[in-house]
Amino acid sequence: MFALRSTTTASVRSASKLAPALAALARFKSTSSSAASLKQRIEQLIPEKTAEVKEVKQKYGDRVLGETTVNMAYGGMRGIKGMIWDTSLLDADEGIRFRGLSIPEVQQQLPKPKGATETTPEALFWLLLTGEIPTAAQAQSITDELNSRASLPQFVVDLIDRCPSTLHPMSQLSLAVNALQHDSQFARAYHAGINRKDYWDPVFEDSLDLLAKLPLVASRIYRNVFKDGKHGSVDASVDYSQNFANLLGFAENAEFADLMRLYLVIHSDHEGGNVSAHTTHLVGSALSDPYLSFAAGLNGLAGPLHGLANQEVLRWILKMQEEIGTDTPTEDQIREYCWATLNSGRVVPGYGHAVLRKTDPRYMAQREFAQKNLPEDNLFKTVSALYKIVPGVLTEHGKTKNPWPNVDAHSGVLLRHYGLVEQDFYTVLFGVSRAFGVLSQLIWDRALGFSIERPKSLTTESIRAMFEKK
């Protein structure tokens, strides 16, 4: 859609005016001029993007995107081309591209905080929303804006603190996000009769508010469930990932903060068909506000086939080491264990992907981080051995289209190395990251006036009748 640009400043134009009847509503303009520049940049892009979509529909509206088969309908709609998701595109051979940029290009071209080796989700947020590479000042403006919004209503704090420690962290996260909906600006604006062309404005504000509060929610859950229940506060002088690391209790580890930057960036967006992204988009299409939409996406992310995959990988590796009796298994021992797993009717977790047909670039980004920061870690050495062995085993097995590792094959190992060993929390980290991608697209969904999603369903009998009558 709109092309990647590199800008140095965002030209300023007055923000859209709400109807007089809405004047008494909560603010729709950012609390600082820095973040207003992002909003104004989006406002400038909306007419251009709207015109582009109109042109595409006029020129190609009756063109066929692809074939839909019966197997696709029964197989989770896998491969069906049926939705728009402009913030990222997944190529089977190249992997994910964020607004046209590969992960290595994002790492190289987006600005980094002073002293950091990785870029930030704030910089990526600017890229996803505008298609432009932000300057360091523009990325910092998002950091400052998120820090200024980072507080929780007392009733949400009390709600989290009253949750039993036996309630899964993802359930607590979803509960808290739903509770934050109490202050949704979009919900109030819609109730007051906001013009549909202005929907994106309070959705933008809700999205920034939600992003700002997620580290506080997630860290509170972590400290309550797994630690001492003591909580820190946001430091306005540092970036989002450093604050998140601090709140979790890893303030003294600069490498862990860089890992958080990498983790939050590479897990943020993976086009629109995955469960968490599609669910957020689907629920948002009913004009549910960002809190309700994202909470729904989190519930999808909590499923074992989606967001729990990274902890399943780590558990499989740890179980392998336990059963073999060493944390430094040989290649022959690893190969034998892989075959035992496959012959028992199970899969080797962390290998294969619904779309990718090569090693996941997100895996490679984490592998490079490990090679630089923890090359002697025994668990990383085992992961490296698996990378060498598993593709050959799966190819010989003959039942896997893609024998290469995906992002989940590595992330748990990195978190464990730095002391974040509580596997039930890993999906919460994934959820915080995924917010940056799905909320960016949700803003554009409303800016472009996308329709409520309503695909056609069929019964098994109707499919049978469709083909047997011919």
Side-chain angles (χ1 to χ4, degrees):
M1 303 302 276
F2 59 75
L4 179 72
R5 302 177 180 88
S6 180
T7 63
T8 55
T9 59
S11 58
V12 177
R13 194 176 73 172
S14 61
S16 61
K17 303 296 183 182
L18 295 175
L22 304 178
L25 291 174
R27 60 175 171 77
F28 292 141
K29 295 183 179 181
S30 301
T31 56
S32 71
S33 59
S34 58
S37 69
L38 173 60
K39 176 184 279 190
Q40 290 168 358
R41 185 67 190 123
I42 296 170
E43 187 180 13
Q44 292 168 350
L45 290 167
I46 288 173
E48 174 186 331
K49 187 72 184 299
T50 302
E52 183 182 14
V53 171
K54 182 179 180 180
E55 179 187 13
V56 169
K57 290 171 68 176
Q58 287 177 339
K59 285 185 176 180
Y60 312 114
D62 60 350
R63 300 290 181 88
V64 176
L65 290 174
E67 184 179 52
T68 301
T69 67
V70 173
N71 281 339
M72 286 177 167
Y74 280 108
M77 299 191 293
R78 185 166 296 185
I80 292 176
K81 300 178 179 71
M83 66 183 298
I84 301 299
W85 194 271
D86 281 336
T87 51
S88 64
L89 184 66
L90 180 58
D91 182 270
D93 296 314
E94 290 188 339
I96 195 66
R97 284 186 174 270
F98 302 121
R99 291 291 189 185
L101 292 182
S102 66
I103 284 178
E105 289 169 337
V106 165
Q107 291 177 295
Q108 294 164 8
Q109 297 184 36
L110 268 61
K112 303 175 180 64
K114 184 177 180 180
T117 63
E118 300 289 341
T119 190
T120 65
E122 299 98 295
L124 184 73
F125 189 58
W126 186 289
L127 172 68
L128 294 178
L129 278 170
T130 68
E132 300 167 353
I133 299 172
T135 65
Q138 288 169 335
Q140 182 62 45
S141 75
I142 306 303
T143 298
D144 293 341
E145 184 66 20
L146 293 176
N147 284 343
S148 74
R149 298 172 184 239
S151 62
L152 295 178
Q154 186 59 45
F155 83 93
V156 175
V157 170
D158 295 340
L159 182 66
I160 297 171
D161 289 350
R162 287 199 301 268
C163 287
S165 61
T166 52
L167 183 63
H168 195 283
M170 281 298 288
S171 298
Q172 295 191 43
L173 179 61
S174 176
L175 179 68
V177 171
N178 271 305
L180 287 168
Q181 192 270 345
H182 178 273
D183 295 328
S184 170
Q185 298 186 43
F186 177 80
R188 288 200 298 272
Y190 186 83
H191 181 74
I194 185 174
N195 190 306
R196 68 191 307 270
K197 70 180 179 62
D198 294 320
Y199 284 171
W200 73 273
D201 192 321
V203 168
F204 174 88
E205 295 296 339
D206 277 354
S207 296
L208 280 181
D209 284 339
L210 178 52
L211 286 169
K213 298 175 192 310
L214 282 174
L216 288 167
V217 171
S219 63
R220 192 166 201 91
I221 294 168
Y222 179 74
R223 301 297 303 180
N224 284 353
V225 174
F226 303 110
K227 300 298 179 181
D228 55 9
K230 296 179 180 178
H231 307 285
S233 57
V234 168
D235 181 350
S237 68
V238 301
D239 65 285
Y240 190 91
S241 303
Q242 181 67 68
N243 262 317
F244 195 17
N246 295 353
L247 290 167
L248 290 170
F250 296 86
E252 304 304 318
N253 196 322
E255 284 184 14
F256 184 82
D258 258 334
L259 175 60
M260 281 295 95
R261 294 182 186 103
L262 175 65
Y263 187 101
L264 295 178
V265 166
I266 66 175
H267 286 82
S268 62
D269 208 26
H270 215 232
E271 69 176 32
N274 64 77
V275 170
S276 56
H278 189 194
T279 303
T280 304
H281 170 83
L282 170 64
V283 175
S285 78
L287 298 186
S288 298
D289 59 66
Y291 298 96
L292 297 177
S293 302
F294 183 60
L298 287 174
N299 291 337
L301 188 67
L305 295 182
H306 189 18
L308 298 190
N310 59 356
Q311 65 193 60
E312 290 187 347
V313 171
L314 183 57
R315 286 170 180 166
W316 182 84
I317 294 174
L318 294 174
K319 184 178 180 181
M320 175 181 67
Q321 292 180 337
E322 179 184 352
E323 292 188 4
I324 292 174
T326 177
D327 62 356
T328 56
T330 66
E331 291 186 7
D332 286 341
Q333 288 173 319
I334 292 173
R335 185 176 292 104
E336 181 179 345
Y337 192 83
C338 289
W339 275 112
T341 297
L342 295 170
N343 290 334
S344 68
R346 295 172 293 157
V347 299
V348 177
Y351 282 76
H353 191 274
V355 179
L356 279 170
R357 294 296 175 262
K358 61 168 282 185
T359 298
D360 192 333
R362 299 172 299 172
Y363 173 93
M364 293 306 299
Q366 293 178 103
R367 176 171 172 78
E368 290 165 5
F369 183 94
Q371 288 173 322
K372 180 172 65 176
N373 294 296
L374 48 134
E376 299 305 315
D377 182 277
N378 283 336
L379 205 56
F380 170 58
K381 290 180 179 180
T382 298
V383 168
S384 294
L386 287 165
Y387 181 44
K388 179 180 179 181
I389 294 165
V390 172
V393 170
L394 293 178
T395 299
E396 184 178 347
H397 188 243
K399 295 183 179 180
T400 305
K401 292 181 179 179
N402 171 23
W404 304 105
N406 58 52
V407 65
D408 299 310
H410 217 306
S411 54
V413 171
L414 295 176
L415 294 169
R416 185 178 178 85
H417 172 82
Y418 290 104
L420 208 165
V421 299
E422 298 86 2
Q423 297 168 26
D424 281 346
F425 190 74
Y426 291 177
T427 313
V428 173
L429 297 177
F430 196 165
V432 174
S433 171
R434 186 51 54 95
F436 283 90
V438 299
L439 294 177
S440 295
Q441 182 60 47
L442 193 64
I443 292 166
W444 276 108
D445 289 349
R446 300 290 75 78
L448 297 173
F450 283 177
S451 301
I452 187 171
E453 189 171 304
R454 178 54 168 94
K456 171 64 177 160
S457 64
L458 299 170
T459 66
T460 296
E461 283 304 312
S462 69
I463 292 175
R464 184 189 299 276
M466 186 184 304
F467 297 107
E468 289 184 352
K469 69 182 180 180
K470 292 184 178 180

